[in-house]
Amino acid sequence: MNFDEFKKALEDNGQEHILKSYERLEESAKAKLIEQVEKIDFVKMRELYESTKKAPEVSESIIEPIAYIDSNKLSEEEKADYIRIGETAIQENKLAVVTMAGGQGTRLGHSGPKGTFDIGIPSHKSIFEIQCDILKEANEKYGVTIPWYIMTSNENHQDTIDFFEANDYFGYPRTEIGYFFSQNELPMIDEDGKLILNEEGLIKLAADGHGGVFEALVTGGILEDMKKRGAQWLFIAAIDNVLVKMADPLFIGFAIKKEYKIASKTIPKTGPEERVGVFCKKDGKPYVIEYTEISPEFANMRDENGELLYGEGHVLLNLFHISALEEIEKFKLPYHAAHKKCSYMNEEGVVIAPEKPNAYKFETFLFDAFAKMPEIGLLRGKREIDFSPVKNAEGVDSPETARRDYMRYHGIEER
Ligand code: UTP
């Protein structure tokens, strides 16, 4: 794109304010800005902006509870059977793992990638190393090296690689961890649909949500790599969970034995108010209702055993057969707009830190892919062994709770 084309693209799309910033930039940054504009799908951006103005549709969908299996209530034989099947699959190198680490971690407020954060356990291992340890233990137990792919975003890609380099990949075989793959990004816009500029005067981009993982698995060559290795199952989880069991034979065996193409390990909600999405069926398809979407009436409904009818929390512990990933990749997942506080450079070149939300970020959600499949296997896990996330700087789901849960799980005494 030359300058005239760049100018025309901006003018045609009501984004002339970008030209003012262009004038202020050094030559190399000017070229970068042109490159950014060339990549923008303005039609899509206009549609996304218009979606922020629409009132939420009144849903006429039918929401129903969804069946799940409680791993804590399996018979000893069933358990042993699943574990045997899962262990065989791991030993036969059928498993690969993706850690999604492309998020911005805004609530935690740590300046680097979330995986570099030290939650304060005595060894002061970072979350990346905590998760790496979990895989190393599985490798040792099953005599394999599980391929570990790490999804980053442009914003933290290099910092993530630098951190692994500086820490010698925590002793993980370099050839099996060779894939740091970046997810896609979208421009952020303000409340008038104008592109936002970052502190450098370039267009502010943000990762396109954890639903971006499906496209990134293809563009990043991960599915190809899995095929080359003969891996059939991909466990996809978040960087923020310090208890994540990336190679759980019971869970893998459950999916294989029951012939599911997608399975999710659920964690029962602590109570109707817990802020976590829950599984249900929407118009007969698997679905996750966000805590913001569920009515108090539904959130409080219980079955004959006193269990919440909508109580199986989705906490990003998901297993996909490679064929399901190929299927899902063909669909476009819906975008969700998030209204965010976002500092920006104004037309005079001054950086402004707003006090209230001023910008929209557009994300796709991994769990919207579930509705693309006819069924999902749900296995209820246990919070104290499967899930303790680092989301907030303090209070619930913070470094403090994660440290406590990690220490308790590993039997480490508080000093
Ligand atoms: P969250 O939705 O909790 O977001 O991501 P976050 O970035 O960690 O934190 P906030 O909301 O900005 O405070 C859950 C998981 O999905 C990953 C995150 O890295 C985390 O592991 N994620 C999220 C991505 O990989 N890409 C995204 O675009 C969004």
Side-chain angles (χ1 to χ4, degrees):
M1 190 179 250
N2 60 32
F3 176 77
D4 291 338
E5 288 163 335
F6 162 75
K7 186 163 174 275
K8 182 164 180 338
L10 294 174
E11 286 167 352
D12 287 352
N13 292 288
Q15 306 289 349
E16 298 84 344
H17 63 295
I18 303 292
L19 289 169
K20 287 198 184 151
S21 176
Y22 177 86
E23 296 304 334
R24 280 191 295 266
L25 294 175
E26 311 248 323
E27 283 314 307
S28 63
K30 280 184 174 161
K32 201 157 177 204
L33 185 61
I34 293 182
E35 210 177 289
Q36 283 187 316
V37 168
E38 189 171 11
K39 284 193 194 142
I40 296 176
D41 179 343
F42 284 104
V43 175
K44 177 166 158 182
M45 292 313 296
R46 200 166 316 119
E47 279 169 16
L48 290 174
Y49 171 61
E50 275 155 21
S51 73
T52 66
K53 303 287 158 212
K54 283 196 198 130
E57 279 170 32
V58 181
S59 172
E60 295 187 353
S61 302
I62 299 171
I63 301 290
E64 295 165 293
I66 190 167
Y68 66 91
I69 302 273
D70 187 345
S71 66
N72 310 297
K73 292 189 182 153
L74 293 173
S75 70
E76 285 310 311
E77 293 95 277
E78 272 175 312
K79 227 190 244 177
D81 193 29
Y82 291 160
I83 291 176
R84 185 186 50 76
I85 295 170
E87 286 188 337
T88 307
I90 301 171
Q91 282 156 352
E92 289 176 351
N93 290 301
K94 297 274 163 40
L95 178 70
V97 170
V98 161
T99 296
M100 297 187 298
Q104 291 180 304
T106 31
R107 285 168 287 174
L108 180 63
H110 169 55
S111 62
K114 203 187 256 188
T116 65
F117 191 77
D118 168 10
I119 59 168
I121 56 173
S123 63
H124 291 286
K125 287 180 176 176
S126 62
I127 308 182
F128 276 133
E129 186 164 7
I130 287 174
Q131 293 207 352
C132 188
D133 281 352
I134 297 167
L135 272 182
K136 285 203 295 202
E137 198 183 312
N139 287 343
E140 197 160 314
K141 185 163 175 195
Y142 301 114
V144 292
T145 304
I146 298 170
W148 186 22
Y149 308 111
I150 293 160
M151 183 169 84
T152 62
S153 53
N154 243 337
E155 216 173 321
N156 66 21
H157 187 75
Q158 200 51 50
D159 288 348
T160 303
I161 295 177
D162 292 347
F163 189 75
F164 273 81
E165 286 276 346
N167 288 283
D168 207 12
Y169 292 77
F170 311 109
Y172 212 81
R174 179 70 183 82
T175 48
E176 310 302 319
I177 207 181
Y179 286 89
F180 293 89
F181 66 109
S182 235
Q183 66 179 112
N184 222 335
E185 301 179 299
L186 281 177
M188 288 182 75
I189 53 174
D190 70 11
E191 290 168 340
D192 298 317
K194 304 277 181 215
L195 295 166
I196 287 192
L197 291 169
N198 65 17
E199 292 75 3
E200 296 155 55
L202 296 173
I203 289 163
K204 176 109 183 167
L205 300 167
D208 63 352
H210 42 57
V213 68
F214 301 109
E215 190 183 336
L217 285 173
V218 176
T219 53
I222 306 306
L223 290 194
E224 268 318 300
D225 190 63
M226 277 181 69
K227 279 190 202 154
K228 244 187 264 156
R229 295 168 186 268
Q232 288 183 354
W233 292 92
L234 189 63
F235 180 73
I236 306 183
I239 185 56
D240 55 20
N241 179 3
V242 299
L243 295 183
V244 59
K245 303 278 161 300
M246 288 123 128
D248 176 359
L250 178 73
F251 183 42
I252 298 163
F254 159 79
I256 296 175
K257 174 91 190 224
K258 301 257 183 194
E259 297 185 355
Y260 289 120
K261 296 285 179 238
I262 312 186
S264 189
K265 196 189 274 183
T266 64
I267 299 297
K269 271 173 85 164
T270 49
E273 280 83 37
E274 194 189 359
R275 291 152 71 96
V276 63
V278 289
F279 279 97
C280 66
K281 271 191 185 166
K282 184 178 174 185
D283 298 330
K285 293 284 184 65
Y287 186 69
V288 172
I289 316 192
E290 282 272 65
Y291 63 86
T292 45
E293 275 181 304
I294 191 167
S295 68
E297 185 203 344
F298 268 58
N300 281 283
M301 281 172 149
R302 291 185 187 267
D303 66 13
E304 61 283 3
N305 303 317
E307 300 260 20
L308 291 173
L309 262 185
Y310 299 96
E312 296 313 297
H314 169 253
V315 293
L316 289 170
L317 299 173
N318 297 309
L319 186 65
F320 294 84
H321 189 265
I322 192 162
S323 61
L325 294 168
E326 286 173 329
E327 192 62 26
I328 291 167
E329 201 275 321
K330 295 184 200 141
F331 295 103
K332 290 270 166 267
L333 298 182
Y335 284 98
H336 302 259
H339 202 195
K340 297 255 177 187
K341 243 191 324 194
C342 170
S343 58
Y344 64 99
M345 183 181 278
N346 71 10
E347 294 201 13
E348 283 73 48
V350 180
V351 176
I352 310 283
E355 284 177 1
K356 54 184 182 50
N358 61 318
Y360 290 103
K361 171 177 170 182
F362 300 98
E363 295 185 300
T364 56
F365 296 154
L366 178 144
F367 49 77
D368 279 329
F370 300 155
K372 309 290 178 201
M373 302 301 283
E375 58 172 2
I376 184 168
L378 300 183
L379 185 70
R380 179 190 272 193
K382 259 199 185 136
R383 189 176 291 261
E384 59 274 27
I385 63 171
D386 287 309
F387 182 58
S388 184
V390 182
K391 298 273 184 203
N392 306 305
E394 45 194 40
V396 284
D397 298 342
S398 64
E400 192 189 339
T401 54
R403 187 175 60 90
R404 178 202 66 199
D405 295 344
Y406 178 94
M407 306 263 286
R408 204 175 280 165
Y409 177 76
H410 290 277
I412 304 169
E413 299 266 326
E414 285 279 358
R415 286 196 199 142

